Amino acid sequence: MAELNQGIDAPASVTVPDRPGLEGLEDKLTARWRSEGTYTFDPETTRENVYSIDTPPPTASGSLHVGHVFSYTQTDVMARYQRMCGKNVFYPMGWDDNGLPTERRVQNYYGVRCDPTKPYIEGYRPPETPAKNQRDWDVISRQNFIELCEELAVEDEKVFENLFTQLGLSVDWNLTYRTIDDVSRAVSQRAFLKNFAQGDAYLAEAPTMWDVTFRTAVAQAEVEDQERDGAYHRISFHRHDAADEASSRIWIETTRPELLASCVALVAHPDDERYQPLFGSTVTSPLFGVEVEVKAHPLAQPDKGSGIAMICTFGDSTDITWWRELNLPTRALIGRDGRFAAETPEWITDEAGRQRYERLAGATVFSAQKAVIEMLNETGETEGEPRKITHPVKFFEKGDKPLEIVTSRQWYLRNGGRDADRRAALIERGNEFTWHPGHMQARYTNWIDGLNGDWLVSRQRFFGVPIPVWYPLDAQGEPDYEHPIVPDDAALPIDPIAQPAPGYTADQRDVPDGFTGDPDVLDTWATSSLTPQIVGRWSRDDAFFEKVFPFDLRPQGHDIIRTWLFSTVVRADALNGAAPWRNTALSGWILDPDRKKMSKSKGNVVVPSDILAEYGSDAVRYWAASAKLGADTAYEVAQMKIGRRLAIKLLNASKFVLNLGATADSVVRDAQGAAVITNPLDRSLLRQLTDAVQQATAAFDRYDYARALNVTESFFWQFTDDYVELIKDRAYGGHGEGEKESVVATLATTLDALLRLLAPFQPFATEEVWGWWRTGSVHHTAWPGHGDTIAGITAAGSEGDPEVLTVVARALAGIRKAKSRAKVKQRTAVMTATIRGTESRLAQLRGGVADLQAAGNVEHLEYSPELTDPESDLEVTDVELALAEETPAS
């Protein structure tokens, strides 16, 4: 990275366009920044000089939306600030092209389907025109499919890069990565194998959340609740020792009667006196005649339904808890296809029960529920009408059907879900970095506290990082899952479906005494959780990794704390024994004008290219940077219009200042140079500037960029609307050369600081103006307040009273208001006016009275301590205007 310019650059000739404008700035300056390497990271550095950002990799196969503009701008503002504070900013960009969205897009785009058992075809090309019927699509190998995914992703990524470039992101485009390329696959597999060697990755057959549409396991973090209509059905189980028919029935209430055939027990609370006599006894299930034991467990709710519930394998996560803690048998019936088993299970021994099950064999969950309810009604095993309810049902976040729980063999990573000590350690990791805003940490802690199992990382998909293991087969051809075969590190990345296991030949695949490859891929989060390791060159360049890790900043949306943020902490804790960052900045959602979250399904998404074309990048950035971290923000065109007005005003105000003769030499840099600034109004402005710089710097240092923008903008408008209007006559030499020298130095010094203060927010307008009168880039200059960059400003304003400018501006506003009320032009002369105020206010006013009289065209001013409004400390009264014919020509 180039050395920061502290402001002592060689003066450049001042060249100001006649009609400055925003049009065309993005293209012109983006090309210059690229060619000059303005944002290039310098690897020849030390860790203390680096500010590293773990940039979120957007899903390249997804469509662009205004939320990308919003959150990525906020990150860029912070990156630009750190760069101006002397940091060597490591600001990469990745593309998350690994996972289900890309897989589906590629299938539809090319008309292909993946079958991992198919052989790889060198140089495969899909049909020029995809078949309309999916059954006629090409069926290709996983490696061929991955190649197509990479090919299409590159085209999608160009669209993203063009948008982000137009937006002015100061990313180093030499530091791009993709979550499915060879490097990312190798890093992901290497991390998994290290987890396995450490005992943090393990294979287990267990109940698993399963999406029947995509035919894949789903992790807890990918599950969301959706409200659905349902009903409680009151069903009777039967006791064997009851005195009569009425007392023989044990009534349970369930929303899932279709699972009756997989019931393994009834459960009630240990303190529930109604059922205490039944604990340890057995009852018979209706329809199927299976004996099940009555158990006690504290999770049972006495006040819910009848107070006793049936445990099925598996209806929900509570069933899993009961099954595990009560050591119950497994009687799973729903398969990976979402249908009931075709064969009647062996635990149904009653002949009538076996006949009834035949009505369920091979049925979908919906059909099975309908059939079971009909049979219960036929046999009189229900009571009353079903009680209709609305309740939360678990769905895969990308799925359309309720999740089922099936028993399957899957890979897991330990994340504290089944280990209290690890859970506590991961919560403590969250204390090691600073949260912006701080209240977001509770979401992280609450998520960890609510985990009920380890992280399921295997997926039954095609496109993704293959799980890098094989299994030896015994003499009967059965896999030995207890002793997986792992590859050599040098061979990574590998695909166990396409490549033979070490020590075997290809013809030994899937034959007795041979091997078989794991057919699954890793969850996309299992690779995305390694972004610090991928882009930081972990396991490939240790010296480089130590320069950027732990990262200084992880920016991301608050909605993926439980997925991306937590999973990254899990991996860094296991692989590096550290928290992955020092700060995390959480951005909010974009809401439509009705305060609803924007989504394609709601049809309220705004295309970012449209607003960038209409308002310009600086204007859109202003809107994004006006929102605080963590705050859900409404999409507001009005804010963008204000941002555009700010950028245009900056161009025009800069033109005014520079056309007065201000140059780089006019900027006050130290106490000696500050001696030229003698006017109290000028000193007042620079005192306000000093305060603004200090406040903006403090805000940025606590990641409150929105406050920094607010402070800077408020000062900017005070400068242009008040100060510039007051000093025009003096700036044109109306008060003598000494006074002109004072005001020009003040104007140049203020413009210099404002360009730096606004540079993170409006990089295009500030860079344009900088080039009119300075060398180099404003984005390589020092932030005002960094080092001794405001020594001159502080010196000039040290004896200034910040209220002088404020009071004089209020007086000018009062004079202009009187003219407006009289409906005369503002250049109309004021023959006399009275300024009423407190002693301190009048003293402050006198510091700029000459500028006030010139700006207001005032011939004579009277002063009075007598106020007519007791709530005010300054008033303008008794304004006597010149007659129209007496108005001096101007």
Side-chain angles (χ1 to χ4, degrees):
M1 176 184 161
E3 290 292 326
L4 279 183
N5 186 323
Q6 299 289 321
I8 312 175
D9 52 354
S13 60
V14 177
T15 306
V16 182
D18 292 335
R19 294 183 178 180
L22 300 175
E23 290 69 23
L25 291 187
E26 286 97 338
D27 290 342
K28 178 181 77 172
L29 296 177
T30 294
R32 182 198 301 172
W33 292 333
R34 283 281 183 113
S35 65
E36 296 178 357
T38 304
Y39 309 122
T40 301
F41 174 71
D42 181 6
E44 300 301 320
T45 187
T46 59
R47 181 62 187 90
E48 55 268 24
N49 289 333
V50 170
Y51 186 86
S52 50
I53 303 174
D54 183 17
T55 318
T59 302
S61 59
S63 57
L64 295 166
H65 57 80
V66 75
H68 288 107
V69 167
F70 182 72
S71 59
Y72 283 83
T73 293
Q74 293 172 349
T75 302
D76 183 66
V77 164
M78 293 183 282
R80 288 180 177 277
Y81 170 71
Q82 292 293 337
R83 191 178 288 110
M84 296 179 75
C85 286
K87 290 294 186 179
N88 186 3
V89 177
F90 180 70
Y91 190 7
M93 179 61 72
W95 310 113
D96 193 8
D97 40 22
N98 164 14
L100 186 59
T102 301
E103 181 177 320
R104 296 173 71 184
R105 173 158 160 69
V106 169
Q107 287 175 336
N108 294 326
Y109 186 87
Y110 290 113
V112 296
R113 288 187 290 114
C114 178
D115 181 348
T117 64
K118 292 287 184 180
Y120 174 69
I121 300 174
E122 188 78 33
Y124 168 79
R125 295 307 306 161
E128 289 188 11
T129 303
K132 294 182 179 179
N133 193 321
Q134 293 186 15
R135 289 176 297 183
D136 298 326
W137 283 357
D138 277 10
V139 181
I140 59 178
S141 72
R142 178 153 64 192
Q143 186 57 37
N144 285 128
F145 192 83
I146 286 176
E147 288 176 356
L148 291 181
C149 290
E150 290 179 324
E151 181 179 304
L152 185 57
V154 167
E155 296 304 312
D156 292 333
E157 287 155 12
K158 289 178 182 177
V159 178
F160 272 72
E161 183 173 338
N162 289 338
L163 171 84
F164 286 153
T165 300
Q166 184 182 0
L167 185 60
L169 297 194
S170 58
V171 164
D172 183 348
W173 292 104
N174 301 306
L175 299 174
T176 57
Y177 67 94
R178 301 163 64 209
T179 59
I180 199 60
D181 63 16
D182 284 348
V183 169
S184 293
R185 289 206 301 274
V187 170
S188 185
Q189 291 181 338
R190 183 173 298 119
F192 173 83
L193 292 171
K194 184 174 181 180
N195 289 143
F196 176 64
Q198 293 172 334
D200 290 325
Y202 64 91
L203 185 65
E205 186 163 357
T208 303
M209 299 298 291
W210 189 268
D211 187 277
V212 299
T213 303
F214 295 113
R215 304 284 179 91
T216 185
V218 175
Q220 185 179 351
E222 299 171 298
V223 176
E224 63 182 24
D225 287 335
Q226 296 183 17
E227 290 294 319
R228 289 290 187 270
D229 292 334
Y232 273 112
H233 300 266
R234 190 171 173 85
I235 301 171
S236 62
F237 282 67
H238 297 274
R239 297 174 57 178
H240 307 296
D241 57 353
D244 53 45
E245 172 65 18
S247 61
S248 71
R249 294 186 178 233
I250 305 297
W251 294 97
I252 64 102
E253 294 188 12
T254 179
T255 61
R256 301 209 61 182
E258 70 275 13
L259 296 179
L260 189 58
S262 63
C263 179
V264 292
L266 297 189
V267 64
H269 195 277
D271 299 333
D272 195 329
E273 296 179 354
R274 293 172 295 176
Y275 302 109
Q276 284 176 342
L278 295 177
F279 294 150
S281 66
T282 60
V283 295
T284 304
S285 66
L287 298 185
F288 306 107
V290 178
E291 286 198 9
V292 296
E293 189 174 351
V294 182
K295 298 279 191 177
H297 195 282
L299 283 181
Q301 301 176 21
D303 58 349
K304 184 176 180 180
S306 61
I308 189 168
M310 69 172 181
I311 304 173
C312 300
T313 51
F314 297 91
D316 57 24
S317 58
T318 307
D319 279 344
I320 297 175
T321 302
W322 283 329
W323 166 81
R324 182 180 295 121
E325 295 184 4
L326 296 174
N327 196 26
L328 298 171
T330 301
R331 293 175 179 168
L333 289 175
I334 299 177
R336 294 187 175 195
D337 58 357
R339 293 179 177 272
F340 276 70
E343 299 294 327
T344 303
E346 75 280 359
W347 60 83
I348 302 178
T349 58
D350 178 77
E351 187 57 35
R354 293 180 68 84
Q355 291 179 7
R356 291 185 181 114
Y357 184 82
E358 290 178 2
R359 293 174 63 176
L360 308 182
T364 63
V365 171
F366 176 81
S367 298
Q369 184 180 89
K370 184 178 179 181
V372 168
I373 292 171
E374 288 176 354
M375 289 188 284
L376 287 169
N377 289 330
E378 291 168 2
T379 56
E381 300 285 14
T382 60
E383 182 177 73
E385 291 296 318
R387 180 163 55 90
K388 294 184 179 181
I389 60 166
T390 300
H391 63 146
V393 176
K394 297 194 179 300
F395 282 74
F396 176 35
E397 59 188 2
K398 296 180 175 66
D400 301 318
K401 293 182 179 180
L403 291 171
E404 296 296 340
I405 298 177
V406 303
T407 300
S408 60
R409 182 174 285 102
Q410 304 286 346
W411 281 97
Y412 296 84
L413 287 180
R414 301 189 192 280
N415 68 350
R418 302 179 66 181
D419 180 343
D421 290 342
R422 188 183 294 260
R423 185 159 56 245
L426 289 169
I427 289 174
E428 182 57 34
R429 286 292 184 210
N431 295 328
E432 294 180 21
F433 49 88
T434 305
W435 296 75
H436 308 282
H439 67 82
M440 288 291 178
Q441 185 173 2
R443 298 193 184 187
Y444 171 84
T445 303
N446 292 341
W447 172 252
I448 298 175
D449 281 335
L451 290 171
N452 55 33
D454 284 329
W455 179 11
L456 191 159
V457 294
S458 49
R459 293 291 182 274
Q460 291 63 54
R461 302 303 305 166
F462 312 125
F463 180 53
V465 175
I467 293 177
V469 298
W470 300 263
Y471 307 102
L473 301 179
D474 62 18
Q476 286 72 45
E478 294 297 321
D480 179 3
Y481 292 112
E482 298 298 319
H483 302 91
I485 304 166
V486 299
D488 292 333
D489 184 82
L492 301 178
I494 60 98
D495 184 349
I497 293 298
Q499 297 163 247
Y504 292 84
T505 57
D507 59 1
Q508 291 178 280
R509 182 184 295 277
D510 297 326
V511 299
D513 294 319
F515 73 94
T516 189
D518 194 306
D520 295 342
V521 298
L522 288 166
D523 169 21
T524 183
W525 290 112
T527 300
S528 297
S529 63
L530 296 168
T531 51
Q533 289 80 6
I534 292 170
V535 75
R537 304 181 189 175
W538 170 78
S539 73
R540 294 168 287 143
D541 186 339
D542 292 341
F544 188 94
F545 187 64
E546 290 173 0
K547 292 176 182 178
V548 298
F549 185 92
F551 281 63
D552 292 282
L553 177 64
R554 154 62 75 85
Q556 65 164 73
H558 64 63
D559 53 325
I560 51 174
I561 289 174
R562 63 177 185 160
T563 48
W564 192 37
L565 188 148
F566 173 60
S567 64
T568 311
V569 174
V570 169
R571 306 308 292 282
D573 178 70
L575 298 171
N576 311 109
W581 335 275
R582 294 170 176 151
N583 296 274
T584 185
L586 290 312
S587 59
W589 284 339
I590 296 302
L591 309 176
D592 68 12
D594 295 327
R595 307 296 295 181
K596 296 177 182 177
K597 183 185 176 184
M598 285 190 175
S599 68
K600 286 190 290 184
S601 62
K602 295 178 181 177
N604 59 355
V605 170
V606 175
V607 179
S609 55
D610 293 346
I611 58 174
L612 288 170
E614 184 170 359
Y615 302 108
S617 298
D618 281 348
V620 175
R621 289 173 62 97
Y622 170 89
W623 160 71
S626 298
K628 289 181 175 291
L629 282 171
D632 293 342
T633 303
Y635 171 75
E636 290 187 276
V637 168
Q639 278 288 91
M640 296 179 198
K641 290 180 178 179
I642 293 172
R644 183 172 178 82
R645 176 172 168 251
L646 175 65
I648 292 172
K649 186 69 172 181
L650 177 63
L651 296 180
N652 291 329
S654 301
K655 176 183 177 182
F656 169 76
V657 171
L658 297 177
N659 281 342
L660 286 172
T663 67
D665 286 336
S666 306
V667 178
V668 172
R669 309 187 193 285
D670 51 33
Q672 183 177 356
V676 73
I677 299 178
T678 57
N679 188 284
L681 193 71
D682 301 340
R683 290 179 176 177
S684 178
L685 177 75
L686 295 182
R687 175 63 183 275
Q688 289 191 10
L689 176 57
T690 301
D691 294 343
V693 168
Q694 292 172 346
Q695 291 179 49
T697 303
F700 256 125
D701 285 343
R702 62 177 183 268
Y703 288 78
D704 190 356
Y705 54 80
R707 170 65 179 162
L709 174 58
N710 180 264
V711 167
T712 301
E713 184 187 10
S714 295
F715 174 79
F716 175 81
W717 291 116
Q718 176 98 351
F719 170 66
T720 57
D721 292 355
D722 295 336
Y723 180 78
V724 168
E725 292 304 310
L726 282 164
I727 54 79
K728 283 183 178 178
D729 188 62
R730 187 154 52 97
Y732 287 123
H735 296 210
E737 284 304 311
E739 286 292 341
K740 179 177 181 179
E741 188 178 9
S742 176
V743 75
V744 169
T746 302
L747 288 167
T749 303
T750 303
L751 177 61
D752 175 89
L754 275 171
L755 291 174
R756 301 174 197 237
L757 288 168
L758 287 169
F761 307 103
Q762 298 200 315
F764 293 103
T766 53
E767 183 79 319
E768 170 70 1
V769 172
W770 192 263
W772 295 348
W773 67 310
R774 310 299 285 275
T775 59
S777 169
V778 69
H779 305 298
H780 274 187
T781 61
W783 175 258
H786 178 71
D788 61 353
T789 49
I790 62 167
I793 301 172
T794 303
S798 60
E799 297 179 6
D801 182 346
E803 291 297 304
V804 169
L805 175 58
T806 303
V807 170
V808 175
R810 285 175 60 190
L812 178 61
I815 291 169
R816 288 179 167 175
K817 185 176 181 180
K819 293 180 181 181
S820 296
R821 285 178 174 173
K823 298 182 179 180
V824 298
K825 295 178 179 179
Q826 286 298 323
R827 66 171 180 266
T828 301
V830 175
M831 305 309 297
T832 183
T834 300
I835 309 292
R836 301 178 183 275
T838 62
E839 183 178 339
S840 62
R841 286 295 185 236
L842 292 177
Q844 290 162 340
L845 179 74
R846 289 187 176 94
V849 69
D851 288 323
L852 170 64
Q853 289 188 255
N857 199 7
V858 180
E859 293 288 332
H860 179 71
L861 281 176
E862 298 279 349
Y863 304 97
S864 173
E866 298 178 1
L867 289 155
T868 61
D869 182 357
E871 300 297 321
S872 176
D873 58 3
L874 188 78
E875 299 173 323
V876 178
T877 65
D878 307 317
V879 177
E880 181 183 338
L881 300 171
L883 297 176
E885 59 270 23
E886 296 176 351
T887 301
S890 60

